Amino acid sequence: MLEVRNAHFPFPEYPVGLAQGYLKISKDEYQPLQGRRFVVRKGKQGLEIVGIVSSRFALVPNELVEAKVARIVKTHGLELLEIGYSKRGTALRIDLLSPKLAAIQPAVEKGDLVRFGFSIRNSIDGTTALAVDLLSYRLSCKNGATAAYVDFRYVARHVGEPSELIASSENALSEAITKAEPHMDKLADFYRKLTAIPFSEAIAQAILKLDLPAMYYSGLPLEIVRDEKDPKKISRIELLPNRLSAWDVFNHLTARLSHNSRTSLPHRSEITRRLHRMVQEAIGV
């Protein structure tokens, strides 16, 4: 039997804190669990355990991140696109849009416009760091995608003093926003390259590494043959004749994620970060 004691709430105005865990080893004897702390959340029936973290973990409540981001939105003239939590309510993602626009296919009607912004994430259980990435939002189909862009992204591990961590992160985000436009231009250039690259077997292999459910790949010109003994394994893929570009395929997947997926917003963010990386690797960018 497990018991938590000595709960400490670093930000008393928010309902999450850290507590020491004790393991019951006999009727009246409990042994403290060393090197670990328990993330607890106040509920109607007392404290609920929502995660186990290291003794060095710095807890930053998701509600506090929301409050800080709301202030940044006003300061920098951003627009809130979406806020979402993981299914257990422990991880947070906030998507913000800036005024920055780019035409990806100028020859296409209305220029195939993409609007850029920022995707912010945090967790109270250590499943994700406090981080900021670039966000792209295709206006024609309202697809949002988080871009793992190494030259821009900010990641703060949950280590140290929580108040110092949130203060430094708020300053870092404000600074990053003021310097983001050249990075948004580079991301737009990457998308433009995708429009000129045909959908190839290398790209097919890359997107299949995401290991998404079949519905995400349905509608693409792919024949996927799975191993008879282990259906999770793909034994062969065949690229059917098509005129799709890598950009078309990229948007097929982000559309399914944005409009047909039941997974949480933080999880969709992780998938689109991986999608960017894998397509970049497949085309050698």
mmCIF file of all heavy atoms in Angstrom, residues 8 14 46 65 85 99 123 167 180 184 202 235 248 255 280:
data_model
loop_
_atom_site.group_PDB
_atom_site.id
_atom_site.type_symbol
_atom_site.label_atom_id
_atom_site.label_comp_id
_atom_site.label_asym_id
_atom_site.label_seq_id
_atom_site.Cartn_x
_atom_site.Cartn_y
_atom_site.Cartn_z
ATOM 1 N N HIS A 8 3.557 19.565 -0.490
ATOM 2 C CA HIS A 8 3.991 20.959 -0.567
ATOM 3 C C HIS A 8 3.507 21.540 -1.880
ATOM 4 O O HIS A 8 3.692 20.948 -2.955
ATOM 5 C CB HIS A 8 5.518 21.041 -0.496
ATOM 6 C CG HIS A 8 6.058 22.393 -0.856
ATOM 7 N ND1 HIS A 8 5.798 23.530 -0.132
ATOM 8 C CD2 HIS A 8 6.843 22.792 -1.905
ATOM 9 C CE1 HIS A 8 6.390 24.565 -0.694
ATOM 10 N NE2 HIS A 8 7.032 24.145 -1.776
ATOM 11 N N TYR A 14 -2.563 27.342 -6.942
ATOM 12 C CA TYR A 14 -2.867 26.284 -7.903
ATOM 13 C C TYR A 14 -2.931 24.932 -7.195
ATOM 14 O O TYR A 14 -2.226 24.705 -6.208
ATOM 15 C CB TYR A 14 -1.815 26.266 -9.020
ATOM 16 C CG TYR A 14 -1.758 27.582 -9.775
ATOM 17 C CD1 TYR A 14 -0.659 28.431 -9.662
ATOM 18 C CD2 TYR A 14 -2.821 27.974 -10.582
ATOM 19 C CE1 TYR A 14 -0.622 29.641 -10.335
ATOM 20 C CE2 TYR A 14 -2.792 29.187 -11.261
ATOM 21 C CZ TYR A 14 -1.692 30.015 -11.138
ATOM 22 O OH TYR A 14 -1.670 31.214 -11.798
ATOM 23 N N GLY A 46 -9.836 14.397 -1.771
ATOM 24 C CA GLY A 46 -8.496 14.533 -1.215
ATOM 25 C C GLY A 46 -7.441 14.640 -2.294
ATOM 26 O O GLY A 46 -7.709 15.105 -3.408
ATOM 27 N N VAL A 65 1.314 28.411 -16.393
ATOM 28 C CA VAL A 65 1.803 28.621 -17.763
ATOM 29 C C VAL A 65 0.729 29.319 -18.588
ATOM 30 O O VAL A 65 1.019 30.252 -19.349
ATOM 31 C CB VAL A 65 2.207 27.273 -18.404
ATOM 32 C CG1 VAL A 65 2.575 27.465 -19.870
ATOM 33 C CG2 VAL A 65 3.382 26.658 -17.651
ATOM 34 N N TYR A 85 -5.315 19.762 -23.389
ATOM 35 C CA TYR A 85 -4.653 18.966 -22.361
ATOM 36 C C TYR A 85 -4.595 17.509 -22.783
ATOM 37 O O TYR A 85 -5.403 17.049 -23.604
ATOM 38 C CB TYR A 85 -5.410 19.074 -21.031
ATOM 39 C CG TYR A 85 -5.088 20.321 -20.233
ATOM 40 C CD1 TYR A 85 -5.728 21.526 -20.488
ATOM 41 C CD2 TYR A 85 -4.138 20.286 -19.226
ATOM 42 C CE1 TYR A 85 -5.442 22.670 -19.756
ATOM 43 C CE2 TYR A 85 -3.834 21.417 -18.489
ATOM 44 C CZ TYR A 85 -4.486 22.600 -18.750
ATOM 45 O OH TYR A 85 -4.188 23.739 -18.027
ATOM 46 N N PRO A 99 0.979 37.504 -36.722
ATOM 47 C CA PRO A 99 0.476 38.047 -37.989
ATOM 48 C C PRO A 99 1.248 37.548 -39.217
ATOM 49 O O PRO A 99 0.831 37.807 -40.349
ATOM 50 C CB PRO A 99 0.666 39.565 -37.820
ATOM 51 C CG PRO A 99 0.830 39.785 -36.353
ATOM 52 C CD PRO A 99 1.499 38.559 -35.831
ATOM 53 N N SER A 123 4.196 20.144 -18.728
ATOM 54 C CA SER A 123 3.528 19.045 -18.025
ATOM 55 C C SER A 123 3.835 19.154 -16.547
ATOM 56 O O SER A 123 4.833 19.747 -16.138
ATOM 57 C CB SER A 123 3.989 17.686 -18.561
ATOM 58 O OG SER A 123 5.301 17.392 -18.107
ATOM 59 N N ALA A 167 10.007 32.235 -14.595
ATOM 60 C CA ALA A 167 10.398 33.612 -14.931
ATOM 61 C C ALA A 167 11.372 33.631 -16.102
ATOM 62 O O ALA A 167 11.222 34.423 -17.046
ATOM 63 C CB ALA A 167 11.022 34.288 -13.712
ATOM 64 N N ALA A 180 11.810 35.732 -34.099
ATOM 65 C CA ALA A 180 11.336 34.516 -34.760
ATOM 66 C C ALA A 180 11.176 34.630 -36.270
ATOM 67 O O ALA A 180 11.217 33.624 -36.970
ATOM 68 C CB ALA A 180 10.003 34.088 -34.140
ATOM 69 N N MET A 184 10.831 31.679 -39.236
ATOM 70 C CA MET A 184 9.570 31.416 -39.934
ATOM 71 C C MET A 184 9.789 31.443 -41.441
ATOM 72 O O MET A 184 9.209 30.639 -42.182
ATOM 73 C CB MET A 184 8.519 32.449 -39.526
ATOM 74 C CG MET A 184 8.089 32.340 -38.074
ATOM 75 S SD MET A 184 6.974 33.698 -37.587
ATOM 76 C CE MET A 184 6.524 33.197 -35.914
ATOM 77 N N ALA A 202 10.993 7.016 -50.532
ATOM 78 C CA ALA A 202 11.729 7.454 -49.340
ATOM 79 C C ALA A 202 10.801 8.228 -48.400
ATOM 80 O O ALA A 202 10.859 8.046 -47.174
ATOM 81 C CB ALA A 202 12.916 8.330 -49.740
ATOM 82 N N SER A 235 5.901 -5.677 -44.384
ATOM 83 C CA SER A 235 6.836 -6.487 -45.167
ATOM 84 C C SER A 235 7.167 -5.843 -46.510
ATOM 85 O O SER A 235 8.252 -6.039 -47.059
ATOM 86 C CB SER A 235 6.261 -7.887 -45.394
ATOM 87 O OG SER A 235 5.030 -7.818 -46.089
ATOM 88 N N ASP A 248 1.790 17.848 -50.576
ATOM 89 C CA ASP A 248 0.440 17.272 -50.554
ATOM 90 C C ASP A 248 0.333 16.198 -49.469
ATOM 91 O O ASP A 248 -0.654 16.142 -48.726
ATOM 92 C CB ASP A 248 0.091 16.641 -51.909
ATOM 93 C CG ASP A 248 -0.006 17.657 -53.028
ATOM 94 O OD1 ASP A 248 -0.451 18.794 -52.758
ATOM 95 O OD2 ASP A 248 0.370 17.316 -54.171
ATOM 96 N N ALA A 255 -3.872 17.220 -41.917
ATOM 97 C CA ALA A 255 -5.325 17.388 -41.952
ATOM 98 C C ALA A 255 -6.006 16.294 -41.136
ATOM 99 O O ALA A 255 -6.949 16.557 -40.376
ATOM 100 C CB ALA A 255 -5.828 17.362 -43.391
ATOM 101 N N GLN A 280 12.180 15.923 -43.356
ATOM 102 C CA GLN A 280 13.459 16.598 -43.584
ATOM 103 C C GLN A 280 14.565 15.586 -43.856
ATOM 104 O O GLN A 280 15.381 15.758 -44.776
ATOM 105 C CB GLN A 280 13.812 17.472 -42.380
ATOM 106 C CG GLN A 280 12.993 18.738 -42.279
ATOM 107 C CD GLN A 280 13.237 19.494 -40.995
ATOM 108 O OE1 GLN A 280 13.542 18.908 -39.968
ATOM 109 N NE2 GLN A 280 13.087 20.802 -41.034
#
